[in-house]
Amino acid sequence: MWRFIFGRLLQAVPVIFIVITATFFLVRAAPGGPFDAEKAVIPEVKAALERQYRLDLPLHEQYFAYLGDLVQGDLGPSFKYPGRSINELIESGLPVTAELGAYALLIALIIGGLSGILAALRPNTLQDYIPMSMAMIGICMPTFLLGPLLVLFFGIELDWLPVSGWGDIPGDKIMPSITLGAAYAAYVARLSRAGMLEVLSQDYIRTARAKGLPEWQVVIKHGLRGGMLPVVAFLGPAFAGLLAGSFVVETIFQIPGLGRFYVQAAFNRDYTMILGTTVFLSTLIVLFNLLSDIVAAWLNPRLRAQLSE
Amino acid sequence: MLVAQDTKKRKASVVQSMMRALVAVCLVSLTACMGGESKVEQGNREGVLHYGNGSEPQGLDPHVVTGVPENKIIRTLFEGLAVKNPYTLEPEPGVAESWDISDDGKKIVFHINPKARWSNGDPVTAHDYVWSWRRALDPNMGNQYAYMLYPLLNAEAYATGTLDDAEQLGVKAADDLTLVVTLNAPTPYFIQLMDHYSTFAVHPDTVSKFGGATDRFTPWTRVGNMVSNGPFVLTEWKLNRYIRLEKNPLYWNADNVKLNAVMFYPTENLTSEERMFRAGQLHYTNEVPLEKIPVYQGIDNSPFVQAPYLGTYYYLLNTQKAPVDDVRVRKALSMAVDRETLVNTVLQNAYVPAYSITPPDTLGYFPPKTFGYDPDRARQLLAEAGYPDGKNWPGLELTYNTSENHRKVAVAIQQMWKDVLNIEVSLANQEWKVYLDSVNQMNFQIARRGWIGDYVDANNFLDLFITEGGNNNTGYTDPVYDEIILREAPNATAREQRYALFRQAETMLMEEMPIIPIYTYTSKHLIHPSVKGMPSNLMDSLNIRYVWLDPTETLKAE
């Protein structure tokens, strides 16, 4: 098992290195720079700015200087927000995005998992059709539609929940979490239904029922462990996707997360921010994929046996 | 069969208990947050203004940042020598209680109010201004607004590094409370510039305590570190969430500041901002989505407020590229645009048609109207240029930065050119920075452009098109025009004489038509009826000293 983890971590290093290098040179190849503005910048001012951000050095020297800083954990100063470092900006946005992602995932697991299991218990009845058609709608409905609809209904018509913010007014975390979680809940529902259906038709489930176990024990103790495997495999990439993809939800609800920095950095040509967020998120994605592989192995005795050989 | 039925029953009970749990969770979370007064109601009671400010400020150092959201916050934290009256836009006393201008207009003496204080209790002195203006102009500072101080004697030479001696700058402290300013030439709008944040004083000891004088990366503007001299002080700064400013008890005019606190929100998304307003989370929105305007115009006691804004939306014509290198083609294109129809239909009446670069009534200046929508004359001009009824037309490309509104305008104008002139024009949208690059490299035939005035004076629009102008971007050059803008108008003694010269220059400009003016911008806001003392003005300028909240006013039910 340890060898498996160590090997995967070792594989991750070149992947991340390639991501850094490709990002570094691609953003520089894009036309326009961080100091281009609608009002022309005086050449002397631009030169002073470029000196302050080391942009006056040859490109390869900038690249090695950046790598040197990165190794020491320094992601550099922000272009867009003078006086702030990328580290500071990521530190301010990450807890919010992570919290939002965690709630969304929790919602996805509870609602998606429950409806998937319910559907699998009575396939091809109403108890199957209703949650599954809702899941289909959930998958098809983009967040930029669901978010405003929820806001319109619960925020403005009923006036139950605040329409924006994060941690400012009680209850303002509910709608963003549901909006972000809905699409994932739908996926989880379909995956858990498929997983459970397969497991529930297996011999050992029939054995469990035959020996007279109560149904809830059969489902939860024997069924879930195998039936949830597809969901677990989906979770790692899903969480990383939530972190990177929360941009839309963060914009709709004015949430001070990482997603807004990530997307706006590209428009602003905020070189250090583009690099910082890309490096950070790609590292997270690699880690979460690894984590979900480990959990899958832990849940699946056959895989576990293979790995410990 | 008994067994099967039994299983069924057990399954049903599993389902039921799961359902019950789910419903219970939902109910608890909902009831927890229902009811209570909205932020606006609470704000009215406590004197706290909730202000939608567009976006997160880049920073709050007056000599580092540029932009409108930054401007609103910095001008609430700091105060200039003179400030704008929000009703008339005429300057009135700020840090300076009065000022004297010499007869030749080249020397200004500011008398600093002896009661003016920094928020740590230090008096504001003339020496602070000398230090701050040197900082603002320092070539190492990289201050993009350094040019605002260029009317100062030797300022341009110092800022571009050709003059090292800061003593030669036209700013001196005669004593602690007397600031003597020497200008290159008479500059009638110089007093106005004192309300622009690039000319504000910063507290020298505070800036030096946290880093070098010209260091961009210092934490002196953070909560707890910042020392400012305006009506409010910085008390909370939650990145991308809000900035909270509270009343500064040491401000010289604190008795006349009616609000206790202001909350600035980075409301980047227009539709979200509008929903926040409807939900009672904002007193004021920075913008209104175009498609919502008819809705708000239709209701009684509408919170919707629209007013002309000091900015022009226009198309640049590259006078060095065929076919728009021919003035007849440029005029034909401009005369074939039916601006009234464009504004009435595509733009929902949210803007004002423009026929010149300077917006009307810029501090009493009205630009000449030298042409109008004239399809016959347009066709005739195009024929004279060698393209009768669009024959032999070589094609033309219109470049704009990606945005739904720019696209709508471009498509409408493309169709007008097709209908009137029978010519094909293709559209090219480019991502913002790519578009800026194309425009700066003169790599376009026609390109969208907008200009927002930095101060209320026609000079700010007309000096765009001088030969060396960094924002000219058309290749237009005329030595007579340069002479009027750079020498004759600044030396004019009376306002009427100066405006006559501007009208002459603007007529010359529109005769050559290096740009196609399309519309004058407007400022559009939703303002809660409880907000008082926040009039519309051409600069969309906020003067927080005048603002107060009346809790008896409520938004009528929609």
Side-chain angles (χ1 to χ4, degrees):
Chain A
M1 191 70 176
W2 289 112
R3 248 188 61 197
F4 161 73
I5 295 174
F6 185 72
R8 287 286 300 270
L9 281 176
L10 217 59
Q11 280 173 17
V13 174
V15 169
I16 291 169
F17 178 76
I18 291 169
V19 168
I20 297 169
T21 310
T23 315
F24 185 92
F25 289 101
L26 276 176
V27 294
R28 294 313 174 86
F35 304 122
D36 286 335
E38 190 146 31
K39 294 187 180 178
V41 181
I42 297 161
E44 288 81 6
V45 169
K46 198 169 174 178
L49 288 170
E50 287 180 344
R51 261 199 316 280
Q52 294 210 18
Y53 287 94
R54 283 199 308 228
L55 291 184
D56 53 336
L57 299 176
L59 197 58
H60 65 275
E61 280 181 37
Q62 291 180 41
Y63 173 66
F64 289 117
Y66 182 79
L67 284 184
D69 289 346
L70 192 64
V71 171
Q72 297 163 35
D74 178 7
L75 295 170
S78 166
F79 286 81
K80 167 85 187 183
Y81 303 103
R84 293 192 186 267
S85 68
I86 300 300
N87 294 55
E88 185 193 351
L89 293 170
I90 289 182
E91 275 164 33
S92 88
L94 180 68
V96 175
T97 301
E99 195 186 345
L100 170 65
Y103 292 155
L105 212 55
L106 204 68
I107 288 172
L109 280 180
I110 294 174
I111 297 180
L114 275 182
S115 43
I117 294 166
L118 290 180
L121 288 179
R122 299 252 184 99
N124 303 323
T125 63
L126 269 186
Q127 191 180 323
D128 180 16
Y129 293 144
I130 294 174
M132 282 308 110
S133 17
M134 284 178 68
M136 207 59 222
I137 294 172
I139 290 172
C140 298
M141 177 114 84
T143 44
F144 59 79
L145 177 62
L146 180 61
L149 280 180
L150 285 177
V151 168
L152 208 63
F153 192 66
F154 291 104
I156 291 170
E157 287 302 320
L158 295 176
D159 196 19
W160 283 0
L161 294 169
V163 301
S164 78
W166 188 256
D168 300 330
I169 310 172
D172 61 5
K173 294 181 181 175
I174 295 176
M175 281 203 284
S177 308
I178 292 176
T179 308
L180 187 58
Y184 290 91
Y187 279 108
V188 170
R190 295 185 65 84
L191 286 171
S192 55
R193 176 182 179 271
M196 285 302 280
L197 266 185
E198 199 193 321
V199 168
L200 287 179
S201 64
Q202 303 248 336
D203 289 345
Y204 73 90
I205 294 290
R206 197 178 322 153
T207 312
R209 281 186 181 144
K211 63 182 189 186
L213 281 181
E215 181 68 18
W216 65 269
Q217 267 199 20
V218 174
V219 172
I220 290 173
K221 216 169 155 188
H222 297 274
L224 270 190
R225 189 160 185 166
M228 283 293 131
L229 265 179
V231 176
V232 170
F234 168 73
L235 279 189
F239 192 67
L242 279 173
L243 285 183
S246 59
F247 166 69
V248 175
V249 174
E250 287 178 15
T251 308
I252 295 173
F253 293 98
Q254 312 266 1
I255 295 170
L258 202 57
R260 274 161 89 179
F261 286 138
Y262 185 43
V263 175
Q264 283 161 6
F267 294 123
N268 294 330
R269 300 287 190 277
D270 192 340
Y271 293 148
T272 44
M273 180 64 104
I274 299 174
L275 276 165
T277 42
T278 308
V279 170
F280 181 76
L281 287 173
S282 51
T283 312
L284 269 188
I285 290 174
V286 168
L287 283 180
F288 276 107
N289 275 324
L290 176 62
L291 204 67
S292 86
D293 285 354
I294 294 170
V295 175
W298 172 73
L299 281 175
N300 187 341
R302 259 171 294 179
L303 205 60
R304 196 169 28 183
Q306 246 172 28
L307 287 173
S308 43
E309 268 166 25
Chain B
M1 279 293 109
L2 253 175
V3 180
Q5 263 184 0
D6 205 27
T7 324
K8 221 176 191 175
K9 214 181 272 171
R10 263 183 262 140
K11 270 186 190 170
S13 71
V14 172
V15 173
Q16 270 177 6
S17 53
M18 279 176 171
M19 286 295 190
R20 261 186 234 128
L22 203 69
V23 169
V25 167
C26 291
L27 277 179
V28 167
S29 53
L30 278 181
T31 44
C33 42
M34 273 164 64
E37 65 180 347
S38 72
K39 276 192 186 176
V40 163
E41 287 160 356
Q42 192 188 353
N44 286 345
R45 205 161 37 77
E46 297 173 351
V48 181
L49 178 71
H50 294 277
Y51 193 94
N53 197 34
S55 63
E56 173 70 19
Q58 300 162 4
L60 294 177
D61 186 329
H63 303 148
V64 167
V65 303
T66 56
V68 175
E70 290 78 5
N71 170 42
K72 299 249 172 94
I73 302 177
I74 291 176
R75 282 177 55 253
T76 306
L77 285 169
F78 292 85
E79 187 178 62
L81 287 165
V83 298
K84 279 191 284 289
N85 180 301
Y87 294 88
T88 62
L89 291 182
E90 298 286 350
E92 59 183 28
V95 169
E97 54 183 359
S98 65
W99 50 87
D100 307 316
I101 304 174
S102 67
D103 290 341
D104 66 355
K106 288 188 180 179
K107 193 171 159 192
I108 304 173
V109 179
F110 289 99
H111 303 286
I112 290 175
N113 189 330
K115 286 187 290 181
R117 289 279 175 282
W118 291 102
S119 54
N120 65 352
D122 290 355
V124 181
T125 68
H127 305 287
D128 296 339
Y129 275 91
V130 175
W131 193 88
S132 299
W133 286 9
R134 284 180 186 173
R135 176 180 193 253
L137 285 167
D138 194 301
N140 295 316
M141 190 73 210
N143 176 8
Q144 293 178 44
Y145 263 127
Y147 68 84
M148 294 299 263
L149 282 168
Y150 278 10
L152 220 58
L153 185 68
N154 289 327
E156 184 165 1
Y158 182 73
T160 51
T162 50
L163 173 80
D164 284 334
D165 185 10
E167 291 296 326
Q168 291 185 40
L169 282 176
V171 56
K172 296 270 187 301
D175 57 54
D176 279 358
L177 296 178
T178 312
L179 184 73
V180 181
V181 174
T182 318
L183 305 178
N184 287 316
T187 313
Y189 53 88
F190 191 77
I191 302 294
Q192 260 196 56
L193 298 182
M194 297 302 99
D195 196 23
H196 191 277
Y197 51 87
S198 55
T199 71
F200 284 4
V202 291
H203 189 249
D205 292 345
T206 303
V207 174
S208 308
K209 193 165 102 189
F210 292 99
T214 60
D215 192 349
R216 292 170 70 87
F217 309 116
T218 81
W220 80 266
T221 54
R222 301 298 175 83
V223 175
N225 300 349
M226 183 190 266
V227 171
S228 63
N229 70 333
F232 287 79
V233 287
L234 181 67
T235 54
E236 258 188 288
W237 186 352
K238 295 268 194 280
L239 208 62
N240 263 339
R241 264 159 95 164
Y242 59 82
I243 290 182
R244 185 183 174 91
L245 312 185
E246 283 176 19
K247 189 174 171 174
N248 176 6
L250 292 175
Y251 175 59
W252 65 272
N253 199 8
D255 291 347
N256 289 322
V257 176
K258 291 153 195 123
L259 294 173
N260 292 319
V262 188
M263 300 278 286
F264 287 97
Y265 297 90
T267 48
E268 229 142 59
N269 184 308
L270 303 194
T271 48
S272 301
E273 188 187 37
E274 191 260 346
R275 287 194 296 263
M276 283 172 79
F277 181 83
R278 280 164 69 187
Q281 288 177 234
L282 288 178
H283 278 112
Y284 173 98
T285 68
N286 186 53
E287 268 288 338
V288 183
L290 215 52
E291 65 277 9
K292 289 278 181 185
I293 291 176
V295 180
Y296 278 104
Q297 279 170 336
I299 57 177
D300 293 333
N301 291 319
S302 176
F304 176 70
V305 177
Q306 175 175 321
Y309 185 53
L310 189 66
T312 306
Y313 184 103
Y314 56 99
Y315 283 164
L316 293 166
L317 297 165
N318 188 340
T319 60
Q320 290 158 357
K321 281 198 178 167
V324 281
D325 57 345
D326 186 331
V327 63
R328 291 167 298 193
V329 174
R330 297 201 294 268
K331 282 182 152 175
L333 289 172
S334 186
M335 288 178 184
V337 176
D338 183 356
R339 292 161 181 80
E340 303 285 340
T341 305
L342 181 77
V343 165
N344 291 340
T345 56
V346 179
L347 299 171
Q348 318 262 21
N349 274 319
Y351 302 98
V352 182
Y355 298 90
S356 56
I357 182 71
T358 314
D361 201 10
T362 301
L363 219 63
Y365 173 81
F366 287 87
K369 184 170 186 274
T370 55
F371 69 98
Y373 173 56
D374 191 344
D376 295 330
R377 179 88 183 107
R379 276 187 286 269
Q380 189 192 339
L381 281 166
L382 197 70
E384 283 170 20
Y387 315 107
D389 193 33
K391 281 193 188 68
N392 311 322
W393 180 248
L396 191 59
E397 190 176 72
L398 167 56
T399 305
Y400 61 95
N401 58 300
T402 310
S403 143
E404 185 55 24
N405 284 350
H406 299 332
R407 194 189 62 82
K408 280 185 196 163
V409 172
V411 167
I413 290 179
Q414 179 191 38
Q415 189 59 43
M416 287 173 184
W417 284 336
K418 174 80 187 147
D419 292 346
V420 174
L421 303 173
N422 194 26
I423 55 171
E424 294 295 339
V425 173
S426 58
L427 304 183
N429 75 335
Q430 295 181 344
E431 187 257 359
W432 176 240
K433 293 279 184 178
V434 180
Y435 151 85
L436 287 176
D437 198 54
S438 305
V439 170
N440 289 334
Q441 307 287 330
M442 296 284 287
N443 190 14
F444 66 92
Q445 289 173 301
I446 305 186
R448 182 210 77 87
R449 186 71 154 165
W451 183 262
I452 308 291
D454 297 312
Y455 49 90
V456 200
D457 195 285
N459 183 65
N460 192 220
F461 286 84
L462 295 175
D463 81 350
L464 295 176
F465 300 101
I466 57 173
T467 303
E468 295 295 316
N471 294 300
N472 181 322
N473 298 120
T474 58
Y476 170 78
T477 167
D478 182 344
V480 183
Y481 184 89
D482 294 354
E483 180 68 19
I484 295 176
I485 300 299
L486 294 176
R487 270 165 290 279
E488 290 179 25
N491 287 306
T493 44
R495 188 178 257 193
E496 291 72 38
Q497 188 195 352
R498 192 158 165 267
Y499 284 4
L501 286 164
F502 282 151
R503 262 189 295 277
Q504 184 193 339
E506 195 154 1
T507 308
M508 288 166 59
L509 181 73
M510 295 326 293
E511 203 51 49
E512 282 296 310
M513 205 74 76
I515 57 160
I516 301 178
I518 297 170
Y519 61 76
T520 303
Y521 284 102
T522 53
S523 56
K524 294 176 282 295
H525 309 288
L526 298 174
I527 304 178
H528 195 275
S530 62
V531 181
K532 306 290 177 191
M534 203 191 272
S536 304
N537 57 51
L538 201 56
M539 290 289 274
D540 202 21
S541 167
L542 169 72
N543 188 333
I544 206 78
R545 245 162 56 178
Y546 285 81
V547 182
W548 56 286
L549 297 168
D550 180 357
T552 61
E553 296 266 20
T554 52
L555 206 56
K556 303 287 176 294
E558 282 153 39

